[in-house]
Every structure is written in structure tokens, then in C-alpha cells.
Amino acid sequence: MSVTASPPAVRSFCITRSAKIVSRPRVVMAVRSNTISAASILTKLQKDCATPLPVLRHVSDAMADDMRAGLATEDGSDLKMILSYVDALPTGNEKGLFYALDLGGTNFRVLRVQLGGKEERVISTEFEQVSIPPELMFGTSEELFDFIASGLAKFAQKEGGKFHLQQGRTRETGFTFSFPVKQTSIDSGILIKWTKGFAVSGTAGKDVVACLNEAMKRQELDMRVSALVNDAVGTLAGARYWDDDVMVAVILGTGTNACYVERIDAIPKLQGPSSKSGRTIVNTEWGAFSNGLPLTEFDREMDAESINPHEQIFEKTISGMYLGEIVRRVLLRMAEGAELFGHSVPEELLMPFALRTPDICAMQQDTSKDLEEVGLILYDVVGVNSCTNARKVVIDVCDTIAKRGGRLAGAGIVGILQKMEHNSKGLIFGKRTVVAMDGGLYEHYPQYRRYLQEAVTELLGPEISRNIVIEHSKDGSGIGAALLAATNSKYGHDF
Ligand code: ADP
Ligand code: MG
């Protein structure tokens, strides 16, 4: 690294967004070398991240091929193509009180819903969100599940008003667990591995429903898990409740995943009894896709230093946990090698994950001439003093990374649609098809969303893409898990 430590420097100026950082002392590192220009680093970055149509086409074709390989045999592909055991989607007839618990990556949410059948639909919902203390991401399985179960218990205690459980019943919950799980039935599944920065000991290889049940028992919470689903599956179920044309669901949040409705006879690896409907939801675990992605030295370095090197490469290129970090690495290179922010590099810029995706998103929303907001964010978050020209370069870096992510996500979606259409001609491209989207990245990053849509339109052409509706299904996964708890209730759901 081309930096040397210099004595701590105190900055006197105080443009701030929040009181807590008023003229806080910052340690800076002096830049030693200045051999390349920021413009040349940017040009190379843009070249390495470029996603022209042939690259997109390669990605969507490879996605479809990898899906087929993953359906053919266990471990036949980067894509696990996990069977969800969800072969009955909500119909609208579901009635009663159901809970859902959603463990994502950044937050966990608890939710209850009172369902009133076809006429009344969703009578009432309530939810709470708790952020996951970082230390629990590296703790033991018991600690994490105790934290979750106690959050759920506290929430359940506040039940009242329009929510009521039918007499003689035990409360039932759907459990949205957004990590790769080998599902063994609708209400059990073995954790394959943690992703998204989690490294909890003692869970891999265990049934996560059993882990939750044991924790609920320790919390003296009388509740039963009747459906274990992944966030993508939950989103598909939640969106399908309102719209029969929903065939695919995609999550773009801390991590990423996608699932879709597949024909049983297109799953050669499936053994045992097949579903009544002849269809099932397949969870692709597409975050593990890696074929033909345009990667840069920054991606490779981030991957090498991650807790899961060589894994989840698609996720590391397109999802919220990583976009800000890739940008930080580029800016650090520009600061060290090209003095983008003057003669010194603030220590904060050296900190992995100091710049988050919401920060780069916020910077991209600044349309002012001097990019004042960009300057404030750079100062607040990574301790950088910047001139307008440097801010422009920063915006270009953010845009390059968001554009690549959004366009590759779009190509992945087209890969899924192509695979479905190839199996059943006319199923997708001959009629209206809805792709339900959820996750904080998709919800809050307008440029990313636009790039994603553009790639889908480019790949499919204007005619076919008019029939493909890519739609935000807000918090669909929570409601979806509760709906699947209802569909899979031990009390049945036809009342
Ligand atoms: P999870 O994936 O943990 O279930 P969310 O779906 O809420 O949770 O996604 C949270 C992620 O979304 C954050 O980690 C972040 O990467 C991304 N995100 C949140 N807010 C924004 C924003 N304003 N702009 C861009 N990305 C955002
Ligand atoms: Mg989530």
C-alpha cells in the first residue's frame, strides 16, 4: 500500500450533516506516490465494468444453462436450485391469525396478520423491525436464535385489537430465513452456509427450524413454525396473493436471490412424491452464480479478503452489502495513487465497509452544481475533503458500480424468463408476466432500478418486454411467509 502514517491532524472546518461529527479529529495518512491520474483509473474501471449487450446476453444465457444444470443433479451447478416444498400458493381463501418472522441480513422483522378470506383479505397487519447487533453475526447459534425468539415473544405479548386466535389453536408462524438452506420439508431445512457477512458458529448442518423451536421453548413462547421459506419464496407468495401473473420473485437487499414457479417434470433431480399441482417454487440461490461476469481488480481484492472467498460472486457484484465497499476500494486507490482528495488519505477511507450502499445512493441523488451533498457525505462518512471535480469523479465511480450491478441483475432476470419460456413455449413471452421485486437496494436506489429495467428491455426487445412487468412488492416476503404459514397450517386452511 502506498501510504505512510503521519501524525494525527485536527481539521478546523466543520461542514456537517449531524452534530456528532463536528470537527472530530481525524487521523490521516500521507500519500506517497502519485503516478497515475484519477481519470485513467476511472476509464479502466468503466471498461472493466462495461455491460454491453453481448455481455448481458452471455450472462442471461449462462444463468439459464446453470439453472438447467442445477435442476438436473445435486451439485450440478453453481446454482443450488433448491426445492422449496411450496407447491400450493396462497389463493385468497386463507383465514385467521398468522405470524411471520423474517431474518434477512441487516434486520429481522416480526409481523402478524389477520386474514379474512376472499372477501375481507388482509384485515390487519402489524410489524416491528429490529436491527441485528453486529456481535451476534459472529456469535453462537444459541445467542442469535435466542435474540430472535425473544424479539418474537415480546411482539406476541402486544397482540390485541383486531388480532385474535381461534380458540384451541396454537399460534403459527412462517419463518423467512434468507440464507441458503437445504429444505427437507415445508417446515424444516438444513443450513448450507451463512452468507452476507454472517459467521455464526454451530448452525451449519443443523435444522434452522429446530434451532428456532428450541429458542422459542427457552423463551416460553408457545408458537409453531408451519412454513420455512426464503425471502424470495415469501415475496413470490405475497405478490401472488394479489396477482395471478406473478411467476418470478427477486430480492435485492443486503444480499440477492431469485425464485420462480417451475414444472415438476422439468426437475430431473426430484425424487419422491410430486406435488398435486404439478408445479413447485424453485429457489435458485443465484447469488452463487459466477459465469462470465465482468469483474475488476477491486472485486477480486474484496472477494479475497471476504469471509467467503470465491463464493457468492454474483451477490458480491450486484447486492447492497457490497456496492458501497467496491466504490470505497476504488476511491481509496484514487486517493492513494492519484491524490484525488489531496495529499493525504483519511484513515476512515481505509476501513472496510465504511462507505455503505445507502451512502453511494444518496450521493447519486445530488444534482446540485457544486455537488455539496456529495462533499458532505464524503466528509461525514470517510473523512474526505473534496473539490467539485473530485466529487464528479466520485459520482462517476458510484454510477459505474450501480450500473453494472443493475444491468447484471436485469440479465439474471432475463435468464430465468428464458429458461421458463424454453420449457413451455408461450408461458412467459406470450402474455403478461410479473416479476415481483423486493429488498432495500431495489426499493431505495432509483438509478439501480432504472439500469435493471433498461437491461431487461435491451435483452428482450421492446415488444416482449412490454409484457414483462417488473414490480416492487413491498414487504411481500413478510406477508408471504405468514400466508404460507396459513396455506400450510396444521389446522388446514379451508374453513
Ligand atoms: P435484508 O436484505 O437485510 O433483509 P433489506 O431488504 O431492508 O434487508 O435491505 C437492506 C439493504 O438494502 C441494506 O443493507 C443496503 O445495502 C440496501 N439499502 C438500504 N437503503 C438503501 C438506500 N437508501 N440506497 C441503496 N441501498 C439501500
Ligand atoms: Mg430481507
mmCIF file of all heavy atoms in Angstrom, residues 185-222:
data_model
loop_
_atom_site.group_PDB
_atom_site.id
_atom_site.type_symbol
_atom_site.label_atom_id
_atom_site.label_comp_id
_atom_site.label_asym_id
_atom_site.label_seq_id
_atom_site.Cartn_x
_atom_site.Cartn_y
_atom_site.Cartn_z
ATOM 1 N N SER A 185 -38.489 -30.325 4.261
ATOM 2 C CA SER A 185 -39.951 -30.364 4.168
ATOM 3 C C SER A 185 -40.373 -28.901 4.249
ATOM 4 O O SER A 185 -39.527 -28.021 4.384
ATOM 5 C CB SER A 185 -40.564 -31.168 5.327
ATOM 6 O OG SER A 185 -40.412 -30.435 6.533
ATOM 7 N N ILE A 186 -41.658 -28.647 4.188
ATOM 8 C CA ILE A 186 -42.094 -27.234 4.240
ATOM 9 C C ILE A 186 -41.703 -26.594 5.579
ATOM 10 O O ILE A 186 -41.512 -25.384 5.653
ATOM 11 C CB ILE A 186 -43.611 -27.095 3.959
ATOM 12 C CG1 ILE A 186 -44.043 -25.616 3.910
ATOM 13 C CG2 ILE A 186 -44.466 -27.854 4.961
ATOM 14 C CD1 ILE A 186 -43.462 -24.798 2.798
ATOM 15 N N ASP A 187 -41.558 -27.416 6.629
ATOM 16 C CA ASP A 187 -41.233 -26.806 7.919
ATOM 17 C C ASP A 187 -39.916 -27.326 8.512
ATOM 18 O O ASP A 187 -39.756 -27.409 9.732
ATOM 19 C CB ASP A 187 -42.399 -26.944 8.909
ATOM 20 C CG ASP A 187 -42.750 -28.404 9.163
ATOM 21 O OD1 ASP A 187 -42.110 -29.283 8.563
ATOM 22 O OD2 ASP A 187 -43.680 -28.652 9.955
ATOM 23 N N SER A 188 -38.972 -27.669 7.665
ATOM 24 C CA SER A 188 -37.629 -27.979 8.168
ATOM 25 C C SER A 188 -36.608 -27.776 7.057
ATOM 26 O O SER A 188 -36.927 -27.909 5.869
ATOM 27 C CB SER A 188 -37.553 -29.421 8.681
ATOM 28 O OG SER A 188 -37.791 -30.318 7.619
ATOM 29 N N GLY A 189 -35.407 -27.437 7.448
ATOM 30 C CA GLY A 189 -34.354 -27.229 6.450
ATOM 31 C C GLY A 189 -33.002 -27.066 7.119
ATOM 32 O O GLY A 189 -32.887 -26.493 8.198
ATOM 33 N N ILE A 190 -31.999 -27.598 6.450
ATOM 34 C CA ILE A 190 -30.643 -27.606 6.989
ATOM 35 C C ILE A 190 -29.866 -26.423 6.413
ATOM 36 O O ILE A 190 -29.839 -26.241 5.193
ATOM 37 C CB ILE A 190 -29.907 -28.903 6.555
ATOM 38 C CG1 ILE A 190 -30.748 -30.152 6.850
ATOM 39 C CG2 ILE A 190 -28.517 -28.995 7.165
ATOM 40 C CD1 ILE A 190 -30.895 -30.494 8.294
ATOM 41 N N LEU A 191 -29.239 -25.660 7.284
ATOM 42 C CA LEU A 191 -28.430 -24.531 6.796
ATOM 43 C C LEU A 191 -27.219 -25.059 6.025
ATOM 44 O O LEU A 191 -26.437 -25.856 6.548
ATOM 45 C CB LEU A 191 -27.944 -23.663 7.963
ATOM 46 C CG LEU A 191 -27.026 -22.508 7.541
ATOM 47 C CD1 LEU A 191 -27.796 -21.430 6.797
ATOM 48 C CD2 LEU A 191 -26.288 -21.907 8.709
ATOM 49 N N ILE A 192 -27.068 -24.585 4.782
ATOM 50 C CA ILE A 192 -25.907 -24.998 3.978
ATOM 51 C C ILE A 192 -24.693 -24.163 4.383
ATOM 52 O O ILE A 192 -23.628 -24.678 4.663
ATOM 53 C CB ILE A 192 -26.214 -24.835 2.471
ATOM 54 C CG1 ILE A 192 -27.374 -25.753 2.069
ATOM 55 C CG2 ILE A 192 -24.970 -25.124 1.638
ATOM 56 C CD1 ILE A 192 -27.908 -25.525 0.668
ATOM 57 N N LYS A 193 -24.870 -22.858 4.410
ATOM 58 C CA LYS A 193 -23.774 -21.980 4.829
ATOM 59 C C LYS A 193 -24.363 -20.608 5.146
ATOM 60 O O LYS A 193 -25.412 -20.236 4.630
ATOM 61 C CB LYS A 193 -22.739 -21.845 3.711
ATOM 62 C CG LYS A 193 -23.330 -21.255 2.439
ATOM 63 C CD LYS A 193 -22.333 -21.081 1.325
ATOM 64 C CE LYS A 193 -23.048 -20.541 0.102
ATOM 65 N NZ LYS A 193 -22.255 -20.435 -1.074
ATOM 66 N N TRP A 194 -23.668 -19.882 5.986
ATOM 67 C CA TRP A 194 -24.037 -18.486 6.197
ATOM 68 C C TRP A 194 -23.501 -17.659 5.035
ATOM 69 O O TRP A 194 -22.478 -18.020 4.439
ATOM 70 C CB TRP A 194 -23.458 -17.968 7.512
ATOM 71 C CG TRP A 194 -24.117 -18.515 8.742
ATOM 72 C CD1 TRP A 194 -23.616 -19.454 9.576
ATOM 73 C CD2 TRP A 194 -25.404 -18.152 9.268
ATOM 74 N NE1 TRP A 194 -24.501 -19.717 10.595
ATOM 75 C CE2 TRP A 194 -25.613 -18.928 10.427
ATOM 76 C CE3 TRP A 194 -26.407 -17.262 8.872
ATOM 77 C CZ2 TRP A 194 -26.769 -18.836 11.191
ATOM 78 C CZ3 TRP A 194 -27.566 -17.165 9.637
ATOM 79 C CH2 TRP A 194 -27.741 -17.942 10.780
ATOM 80 N N THR A 195 -24.161 -16.565 4.715
ATOM 81 C CA THR A 195 -23.676 -15.627 3.688
ATOM 82 C C THR A 195 -23.824 -14.217 4.253
ATOM 83 O O THR A 195 -24.151 -14.055 5.427
ATOM 84 C CB THR A 195 -24.508 -15.746 2.385
ATOM 85 O OG1 THR A 195 -25.887 -15.600 2.732
ATOM 86 C CG2 THR A 195 -24.293 -17.085 1.694
ATOM 87 N N LYS A 196 -23.608 -13.213 3.420
ATOM 88 C CA LYS A 196 -23.840 -11.807 3.774
ATOM 89 C C LYS A 196 -23.099 -11.386 5.039
ATOM 90 O O LYS A 196 -23.603 -10.596 5.842
ATOM 91 C CB LYS A 196 -25.345 -11.533 3.928
ATOM 92 C CG LYS A 196 -26.125 -11.771 2.644
ATOM 93 C CD LYS A 196 -27.590 -11.461 2.794
ATOM 94 C CE LYS A 196 -28.378 -12.631 3.308
ATOM 95 N NZ LYS A 196 -29.831 -12.465 3.201
ATOM 96 N N GLY A 197 -21.913 -11.936 5.249
ATOM 97 C CA GLY A 197 -21.086 -11.491 6.362
ATOM 98 C C GLY A 197 -21.355 -12.197 7.675
ATOM 99 O O GLY A 197 -20.698 -11.925 8.674
ATOM 100 N N PHE A 198 -22.330 -13.121 7.702
ATOM 101 C CA PHE A 198 -22.599 -13.858 8.935
ATOM 102 C C PHE A 198 -21.596 -14.998 9.096
ATOM 103 O O PHE A 198 -21.256 -15.661 8.118
ATOM 104 C CB PHE A 198 -24.013 -14.473 8.905
ATOM 105 C CG PHE A 198 -25.095 -13.528 9.343
ATOM 106 C CD1 PHE A 198 -25.363 -12.383 8.603
ATOM 107 C CD2 PHE A 198 -25.846 -13.770 10.485
ATOM 108 C CE1 PHE A 198 -26.361 -11.501 8.988
ATOM 109 C CE2 PHE A 198 -26.849 -12.893 10.882
ATOM 110 C CZ PHE A 198 -27.105 -11.765 10.133
ATOM 111 N N ALA A 199 -21.135 -15.206 10.314
ATOM 112 C CA ALA A 199 -20.256 -16.344 10.597
ATOM 113 C C ALA A 199 -20.631 -16.886 11.972
ATOM 114 O O ALA A 199 -19.839 -16.882 12.902
ATOM 115 C CB ALA A 199 -18.802 -15.911 10.537
ATOM 116 N N VAL A 200 -21.892 -17.320 12.094
ATOM 117 C CA VAL A 200 -22.402 -17.814 13.383
ATOM 118 C C VAL A 200 -21.964 -19.272 13.557
ATOM 119 O O VAL A 200 -22.120 -20.074 12.644
ATOM 120 C CB VAL A 200 -23.945 -17.715 13.407
ATOM 121 C CG1 VAL A 200 -24.513 -18.327 14.685
ATOM 122 C CG2 VAL A 200 -24.380 -16.259 13.269
ATOM 123 N N SER A 201 -21.435 -19.583 14.732
ATOM 124 C CA SER A 201 -20.926 -20.948 14.921
ATOM 125 C C SER A 201 -22.046 -21.878 15.368
ATOM 126 O O SER A 201 -22.955 -21.480 16.095
ATOM 127 C CB SER A 201 -19.810 -20.949 15.958
ATOM 128 O OG SER A 201 -20.321 -20.481 17.187
ATOM 129 N N GLY A 202 -21.980 -23.095 14.891
ATOM 130 C CA GLY A 202 -22.884 -24.137 15.380
ATOM 131 C C GLY A 202 -24.225 -24.237 14.677
ATOM 132 O O GLY A 202 -25.103 -24.935 15.162
ATOM 133 N N THR A 203 -24.415 -23.557 13.555
ATOM 134 C CA THR A 203 -25.701 -23.690 12.853
ATOM 135 C C THR A 203 -25.579 -24.504 11.575
ATOM 136 O O THR A 203 -26.515 -25.227 11.226
ATOM 137 C CB THR A 203 -26.308 -22.316 12.481
ATOM 138 O OG1 THR A 203 -25.911 -21.345 13.423
ATOM 139 C CG2 THR A 203 -27.826 -22.386 12.432
ATOM 140 N N ALA A 204 -24.441 -24.366 10.866
ATOM 141 C CA ALA A 204 -24.306 -25.058 9.579
ATOM 142 C C ALA A 204 -24.525 -26.556 9.792
ATOM 143 O O ALA A 204 -24.022 -27.143 10.748
ATOM 144 C CB ALA A 204 -22.930 -24.793 8.984
ATOM 145 N N GLY A 205 -25.326 -27.155 8.915
ATOM 146 C CA GLY A 205 -25.617 -28.587 9.031
ATOM 147 C C GLY A 205 -26.782 -28.889 9.959
ATOM 148 O O GLY A 205 -27.177 -30.034 10.120
ATOM 149 N N LYS A 206 -27.344 -27.840 10.589
ATOM 150 C CA LYS A 206 -28.474 -28.062 11.524
ATOM 151 C C LYS A 206 -29.791 -27.598 10.909
ATOM 152 O O LYS A 206 -29.807 -26.738 10.023
ATOM 153 C CB LYS A 206 -28.242 -27.261 12.797
ATOM 154 C CG LYS A 206 -27.345 -27.949 13.783
ATOM 155 C CD LYS A 206 -27.617 -27.391 15.175
ATOM 156 C CE LYS A 206 -26.599 -27.896 16.169
ATOM 157 N NZ LYS A 206 -26.396 -26.941 17.238
ATOM 158 N N ASP A 207 -30.886 -28.115 11.432
ATOM 159 C CA ASP A 207 -32.214 -27.680 11.017
ATOM 160 C C ASP A 207 -32.513 -26.329 11.691
ATOM 161 O O ASP A 207 -32.588 -26.248 12.923
ATOM 162 C CB ASP A 207 -33.242 -28.741 11.437
ATOM 163 C CG ASP A 207 -34.668 -28.332 11.103
ATOM 164 O OD1 ASP A 207 -34.862 -27.235 10.549
ATOM 165 O OD2 ASP A 207 -35.585 -29.115 11.403
ATOM 166 N N VAL A 208 -32.670 -25.303 10.884
ATOM 167 C CA VAL A 208 -32.848 -23.965 11.464
ATOM 168 C C VAL A 208 -34.200 -23.818 12.160
ATOM 169 O O VAL A 208 -34.341 -23.002 13.076
ATOM 170 C CB VAL A 208 -32.640 -22.835 10.420
ATOM 171 C CG1 VAL A 208 -31.194 -22.771 9.992
ATOM 172 C CG2 VAL A 208 -33.553 -22.971 9.224
ATOM 173 N N VAL A 209 -35.184 -24.617 11.745
ATOM 174 C CA VAL A 209 -36.484 -24.576 12.434
ATOM 175 C C VAL A 209 -36.331 -25.175 13.842
ATOM 176 O O VAL A 209 -36.863 -24.627 14.808
ATOM 177 C CB VAL A 209 -37.579 -25.311 11.634
ATOM 178 C CG1 VAL A 209 -38.873 -25.398 12.429
ATOM 179 C CG2 VAL A 209 -37.831 -24.599 10.310
ATOM 180 N N ALA A 210 -35.560 -26.249 13.926
ATOM 181 C CA ALA A 210 -35.304 -26.833 15.255
ATOM 182 C C ALA A 210 -34.580 -25.818 16.136
ATOM 183 O O ALA A 210 -34.910 -25.658 17.314
ATOM 184 C CB ALA A 210 -34.492 -28.118 15.115
ATOM 185 N N CYS A 211 -33.607 -25.106 15.559
ATOM 186 C CA CYS A 211 -32.887 -24.070 16.330
ATOM 187 C C CYS A 211 -33.865 -23.029 16.859
ATOM 188 O O CYS A 211 -33.789 -22.610 18.012
ATOM 189 C CB CYS A 211 -31.833 -23.366 15.465
ATOM 190 S SG CYS A 211 -30.468 -24.412 14.974
ATOM 191 N N LEU A 212 -34.803 -22.613 15.994
ATOM 192 C CA LEU A 212 -35.774 -21.599 16.413
ATOM 193 C C LEU A 212 -36.742 -22.179 17.450
ATOM 194 O O LEU A 212 -37.051 -21.526 18.449
ATOM 195 C CB LEU A 212 -36.534 -21.060 15.185
ATOM 196 C CG LEU A 212 -37.614 -20.029 15.486
ATOM 197 C CD1 LEU A 212 -37.044 -18.790 16.183
ATOM 198 C CD2 LEU A 212 -38.331 -19.598 14.199
ATOM 199 N N ASN A 213 -37.216 -23.398 17.203
ATOM 200 C CA ASN A 213 -38.144 -24.027 18.152
ATOM 201 C C ASN A 213 -37.535 -24.135 19.542
ATOM 202 O O ASN A 213 -38.187 -23.833 20.540
ATOM 203 C CB ASN A 213 -38.557 -25.422 17.660
ATOM 204 C CG ASN A 213 -39.665 -25.336 16.624
ATOM 205 O OD1 ASN A 213 -40.448 -24.377 16.620
ATOM 206 N ND2 ASN A 213 -39.718 -26.308 15.735
ATOM 207 N N GLU A 214 -36.261 -24.555 19.586
ATOM 208 C CA GLU A 214 -35.593 -24.676 20.884
ATOM 209 C C GLU A 214 -35.489 -23.320 21.572
ATOM 210 O O GLU A 214 -35.728 -23.187 22.767
ATOM 211 C CB GLU A 214 -34.191 -25.285 20.708
ATOM 212 C CG GLU A 214 -34.225 -26.783 20.441
ATOM 213 C CD GLU A 214 -32.970 -27.291 19.738
ATOM 214 O OE1 GLU A 214 -31.912 -26.636 19.824
ATOM 215 O OE2 GLU A 214 -33.056 -28.353 19.092
ATOM 216 N N ALA A 215 -35.162 -22.300 20.790
ATOM 217 C CA ALA A 215 -35.049 -20.945 21.362
ATOM 218 C C ALA A 215 -36.423 -20.452 21.829
ATOM 219 O O ALA A 215 -36.531 -19.810 22.880
ATOM 220 C CB ALA A 215 -34.445 -19.986 20.330
ATOM 221 N N MET A 216 -37.473 -20.764 21.074
ATOM 222 C CA MET A 216 -38.822 -20.333 21.490
ATOM 223 C C MET A 216 -39.205 -21.020 22.800
ATOM 224 O O MET A 216 -39.834 -20.416 23.661
ATOM 225 C CB MET A 216 -39.854 -20.624 20.391
ATOM 226 C CG MET A 216 -39.687 -19.727 19.167
ATOM 227 S SD MET A 216 -41.109 -19.617 18.066
ATOM 228 C CE MET A 216 -41.277 -21.248 17.452
ATOM 229 N N LYS A 217 -38.809 -22.279 22.919
ATOM 230 C CA LYS A 217 -39.077 -23.007 24.165
ATOM 231 C C LYS A 217 -38.352 -22.322 25.328
ATOM 232 O O LYS A 217 -38.927 -22.097 26.385
ATOM 233 C CB LYS A 217 -38.619 -24.465 24.021
ATOM 234 C CG LYS A 217 -39.468 -25.433 24.812
ATOM 235 C CD LYS A 217 -39.052 -26.871 24.602
ATOM 236 C CE LYS A 217 -39.753 -27.517 23.407
ATOM 237 N NZ LYS A 217 -39.157 -28.830 23.070
ATOM 238 N N ARG A 218 -37.087 -21.964 25.095
ATOM 239 C CA ARG A 218 -36.318 -21.290 26.164
ATOM 240 C C ARG A 218 -36.982 -19.969 26.544
ATOM 241 O O ARG A 218 -36.916 -19.528 27.674
ATOM 242 C CB ARG A 218 -34.872 -21.041 25.704
ATOM 243 C CG ARG A 218 -34.021 -22.302 25.654
ATOM 244 C CD ARG A 218 -32.529 -21.968 25.542
ATOM 245 N NE ARG A 218 -32.155 -21.404 24.260
ATOM 246 C CZ ARG A 218 -31.777 -22.115 23.191
ATOM 247 N NH1 ARG A 218 -31.734 -23.425 23.253
ATOM 248 N NH2 ARG A 218 -31.443 -21.523 22.065
ATOM 249 N N GLN A 219 -37.632 -19.329 25.574
ATOM 250 C CA GLN A 219 -38.314 -18.059 25.846
ATOM 251 C C GLN A 219 -39.753 -18.269 26.330
ATOM 252 O O GLN A 219 -40.505 -17.309 26.472
ATOM 253 C CB GLN A 219 -38.360 -17.185 24.574
ATOM 254 C CG GLN A 219 -37.006 -16.805 24.017
ATOM 255 C CD GLN A 219 -36.247 -15.875 24.930
ATOM 256 O OE1 GLN A 219 -36.840 -15.052 25.622
ATOM 257 N NE2 GLN A 219 -34.926 -16.024 24.953
ATOM 258 N N GLU A 220 -40.151 -19.507 26.482
ATOM 259 C CA GLU A 220 -41.517 -19.870 26.874
ATOM 260 C C GLU A 220 -42.556 -19.263 25.943
ATOM 261 O O GLU A 220 -43.599 -18.763 26.367
ATOM 262 C CB GLU A 220 -41.776 -19.487 28.332
ATOM 263 C CG GLU A 220 -40.882 -20.281 29.265
ATOM 264 C CD GLU A 220 -41.033 -19.885 30.722
ATOM 265 O OE1 GLU A 220 -41.840 -19.001 31.016
ATOM 266 O OE2 GLU A 220 -40.328 -20.487 31.547
ATOM 267 N N LEU A 221 -42.255 -19.296 24.665
ATOM 268 C CA LEU A 221 -43.189 -18.794 23.653
ATOM 269 C C LEU A 221 -43.874 -19.981 22.992
ATOM 270 O O LEU A 221 -43.211 -20.838 22.412
ATOM 271 C CB LEU A 221 -42.409 -17.971 22.607
ATOM 272 C CG LEU A 221 -43.195 -17.516 21.381
ATOM 273 C CD1 LEU A 221 -44.336 -16.582 21.764
ATOM 274 C CD2 LEU A 221 -42.257 -16.803 20.396
ATOM 275 N N ASP A 222 -45.199 -20.011 23.099
ATOM 276 C CA ASP A 222 -45.950 -21.140 22.553
ATOM 277 C C ASP A 222 -46.352 -20.812 21.116
ATOM 278 O O ASP A 222 -47.411 -20.252 20.863
ATOM 279 C CB ASP A 222 -47.195 -21.395 23.440
ATOM 280 C CG ASP A 222 -47.947 -22.627 22.991
ATOM 281 O OD1 ASP A 222 -47.333 -23.503 22.347
ATOM 282 O OD2 ASP A 222 -49.163 -22.704 23.273
#
